[in-house]
C-alpha cells in the first residue's frame, strides 16, 4: 500500500480522489463493521467486494455505498 503525505485538507482530499477504490473499500468495511456490530471476517469479503464494485459503477457515491451495505448479504443475514 502506498503511503501519502499531505500538508492540509486540500492535500488530503487530493489523496482520496487519487485512489477512490481504496477509499471506498476502507469506508465500506468500516461502515459494514459498524452496521454488523462485530469485526469483519473472511466470510464478509464477498460482500465488501460487491459493495465496492457496485458503488464504482455509480462513481463511488455515498448514497450508493450506504444502499449496498444495507443490501449486502452480510447485513441481511
Amino acid at each position: 500500500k502506498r503511503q501519502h503525505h499531505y500538508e492540509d485538507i486540500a492535500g488530503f482530499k487530493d489523496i482520496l480522489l487519487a485512489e477512490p477504490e481504496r477509499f471506498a473499500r476502507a469506508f465500506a468495511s468500516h461502515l459494514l463493521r459498524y452496521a454488523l456490530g462485530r469485526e469483519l471476517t473472511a466470510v464478509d469479503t464477498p460482500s465488501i467486494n460487491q459493495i465496492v464494485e457496485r458503488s464504482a459503477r455509480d462513481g463511488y457515491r455515498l448514497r450508493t455505498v450506504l444502499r449496498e451495505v444495507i443490501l449486502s448479504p452480510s447485513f441481511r443475514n
Side-chain angles (χ1 to χ4, degrees), residues 3-77:
Q3 289 188 349
H4 300 278
H5 301 282
Y6 58 93
E7 298 288 324
D8 54 19
I9 193 70
F12 182 68
K13 180 181 174 186
D14 291 341
I15 291 168
L16 296 180
L17 292 173
E19 296 191 60
E21 191 274 338
R22 183 177 177 191
F23 176 75
R25 181 170 300 281
F27 181 72
S29 296
H30 289 290
L31 189 60
L32 185 60
R33 183 181 320 137
Y34 178 79
L36 297 176
R38 64 170 174 79
E39 292 297 318
L40 301 182
T41 66
V43 173
D44 300 307
T45 301
S47 288
I48 295 296
N49 292 340
Q50 181 178 8
I51 293 164
V52 173
E53 178 183 312
R54 289 182 178 175
S55 67
R57 288 188 232 148
D58 196 29
Y60 299 106
R61 293 180 63 197
L62 177 60
R63 177 184 300 211
T64 305
V65 174
L66 292 171
R67 182 183 65 233
E68 294 304 325
V69 165
I70 293 166
L71 295 175
S72 71
S74 291
F75 185 77
R76 296 185 70 187
N77 296 319

